Amino acid sequence: MSKVRRIAVIGAGIIGAAVARELLLRDESADVTLYEKEDGPAVHQTGHNSGVVHAGLYYEPGSLKARLCRRGVELIRDFAAAHGVAVDECGKVVVATDDVEVGRLHAIHERAIANGVPDVVMLDRDGLAEVEPQAVGVAALHSPHTAIIDYPGLTDALVVDFRRRGGRVRFSTPVSRVERRGGPAGERAIVHSDKDALEFDAVIACAGLQSDRLAARSGESAQPSVVPFFGQYFILDPAFDAVVNGLIYPVPDPKYPFLGVHVTRRIDGGVMIGPNAFLSFSREGYSGLGLNVRDALSIAADAGFWRFAAGNLPTAVREIGGVLSTERFVAEAARYVPQLAGATGQRATRGIRAQAMNRDGSLVDDFVIDRAGPAMFVRNAPSPGATSALAIAEHLVDRALADS
């Protein structure tokens, strides 16, 4: 009789939940435990994002990010349909407002085609008006299959399916470190939580905003470090729900590291503007001042952050206006959707992005997965991490099985 493999997954965000479920899809006899420090799933990044299922427009062709995004879209669509998760294929336009942006838009179109994004097309001014009558631009890129989804609902469904297959979930159980221990039968991993220390054949850590700290406490490198950036969202009053049909994005400016403020239809039928991107002084402070002394001191001690900051002062200047003023925030979106000028609404709970950063101040753009004996650490899972979650799970489990 073959030995039952005991595997731990740390973190019940969408990626951790998907990994735990994937392990039981591959081996229904495995003994899999999912650890989560909060009292439920999807409390952090998964529960505070824009809800977009990205099609794969922007990513470097052939990169892990591009490949996992396209595979992730297929898997999410099938899982959502099978488990009754709300999803809406509302489509997306990326709007160019001048000739310089048109040139950038053609480059995005070429990438989208190379990545296999289905039915993506360039539109002229009239074509844009047919898709989004209130949007203004000289050209646009249309991705008709870009969708929105209920990511917390999707994560809940993954956890339910994991449990149905025999998985064990330990909520309210923070993990302090993963210890590697050798023995006659080979190396094992000890998961130390605030409740106990249990031995596993393998551990896959999907710790998101705490990924660098968990790795460092487990004896691994603290690099790349996580520098948190918050994104604010502004939910428009219901009077503006009919202004847009789907998602409207600006053309990214290569001078800035983030996409810029965009208009997003929500899965509940509403419309929101955002997010901006600004340094967060807390990894998990979603309201109020969002100040955590430990997190702020960690940023101050990060040489990579200061190198990044020195090269991105224009970004900070651009973003601070929207942080301090809702009117500036709305005006940015009204640049390409004029009917939103002066729109009213309310700020939503902010999201916080776990941005991995190198010592030289460069942002880590692709997924980063480190292996340390029987333990695997997901060090960076940037957007489209949620879109790619089920494909990331396949990739991680493939690696885990190949190395076992």
Side-chain angles (χ1 to χ4, degrees):
M1 180 180 294
S2 60
K3 177 179 178 292
V4 174
R5 282 175 54 80
R6 300 186 69 231
I7 307 170
V9 178
I10 301 171
I14 189 171
I15 294 177
V19 168
R21 172 180 174 269
E22 182 68 23
L23 285 164
L24 290 179
L25 287 176
R26 302 291 186 92
D27 181 2
E28 62 183 16
S29 69
D31 182 349
V32 183
T33 300
L34 175 61
Y35 285 83
E36 169 55 48
K37 68 176 183 173
E38 307 295 351
D39 60 5
V43 171
H44 295 293
Q45 290 184 103
T46 303
H48 295 87
N49 64 32
S50 61
V52 177
V53 181
H54 293 281
L57 302 180
Y58 308 103
Y59 317 124
E60 183 66 30
S63 66
L64 187 60
K65 182 186 283 192
R67 290 186 283 111
L68 293 182
C69 179
R70 287 305 313 152
R71 173 63 176 161
V73 170
E74 297 175 8
L75 294 172
I76 275 186
R77 182 187 60 222
D78 293 345
F79 182 86
H83 294 267
V85 178
V87 61
D88 178 8
E89 201 172 84
C90 60
K92 166 180 172 177
V93 290
V94 183
V95 178
T97 58
D98 58 37
D99 290 342
V100 172
E101 291 186 343
V102 170
R104 296 176 191 154
L105 200 60
H106 280 291
I108 295 171
H109 184 220
E110 291 174 1
R111 281 194 170 192
I113 294 297
N115 287 335
V117 179
D119 302 324
V120 62
V121 294
M122 289 290 295
L123 304 175
D124 59 16
R125 191 188 304 267
D126 292 337
L128 172 60
E130 290 181 10
V131 175
E132 288 286 358
Q134 303 305 327
V136 172
V138 296
L141 180 66
H142 184 211
S143 173
H145 302 297
T146 296
I148 51 177
I149 197 169
D150 175 10
Y151 277 123
L154 178 67
T155 308
D156 286 342
L158 287 167
V159 172
V160 167
D161 195 49
F162 168 66
R163 279 177 155 159
R164 182 182 66 81
R165 296 174 184 277
R168 181 185 304 105
V169 182
R170 299 187 69 184
F171 289 128
S172 303
T173 308
V175 171
S176 58
R177 63 190 175 98
V178 179
E179 176 190 359
R180 296 165 60 182
R181 183 178 298 174
E187 201 170 23
R188 296 288 184 270
I190 313 299
V191 174
H192 294 264
S193 74
D194 65 344
K195 295 180 173 60
D196 49 33
L198 299 179
E199 182 178 286
F200 295 90
D201 298 301
V203 174
I204 301 176
C206 307
L209 285 152
Q210 305 296 334
S211 60
D212 58 336
R213 289 174 174 171
L214 178 60
R217 292 196 304 264
S218 302
E220 305 305 318
S221 173
Q223 298 295 322
S225 61
V226 168
V227 175
F229 286 82
F230 71 73
Q232 293 174 314
Y233 295 95
F234 187 67
I235 301 176
L236 301 181
D237 287 336
F240 297 92
D241 286 354
V243 172
V244 301
N245 295 323
L247 314 176
I248 306 179
Y249 280 52
V251 176
D253 188 331
K255 296 198 304 287
Y256 303 113
F258 304 112
L259 286 178
V261 171
H262 38 274
V263 183
T264 307
R265 178 160 292 286
R266 290 157 51 94
I267 197 65
D268 63 7
V271 174
M272 67 183 180
I273 297 171
N276 51 9
F278 203 77
L279 179 67
S280 174
F281 294 102
S282 171
R283 297 195 184 197
E284 298 175 4
Y286 301 107
S287 60
L289 293 175
L291 175 62
N292 177 285
V293 173
R294 179 194 179 198
D295 293 345
L297 291 176
S298 177
I299 294 168
D302 192 325
F305 164 72
W306 290 109
R307 294 185 180 100
F308 168 83
N312 285 276
L313 288 177
T315 300
V317 171
R318 185 181 79 160
E319 296 293 325
I320 191 65
V323 172
L324 299 176
S325 167
T326 298
E327 289 76 15
R328 289 277 298 275
F329 201 46
V330 172
E332 181 65 22
R335 187 172 63 87
Y336 47 93
V337 187
Q339 194 169 331
L340 294 180
T344 55
Q346 60 183 353
R347 288 190 187 271
T349 302
R350 69 173 68 100
I352 300 178
R353 171 180 182 168
Q355 177 60 63
M357 190 172 293
N358 294 312
R359 291 184 187 275
D360 64 3
S362 60
L363 302 184
V364 182
D365 186 54
D366 212 345
F367 299 118
V368 177
I369 301 160
D370 288 346
R371 187 68 187 259
M376 189 179 296
F377 296 89
V378 179
R379 305 298 302 267
N380 191 48
S383 179
T387 299
S388 308
L390 275 70
I392 294 172
E394 288 185 336
H395 179 73
L396 289 171
V397 174
D398 282 345
R399 285 188 56 175
L401 295 178
D403 294 341
S404 62

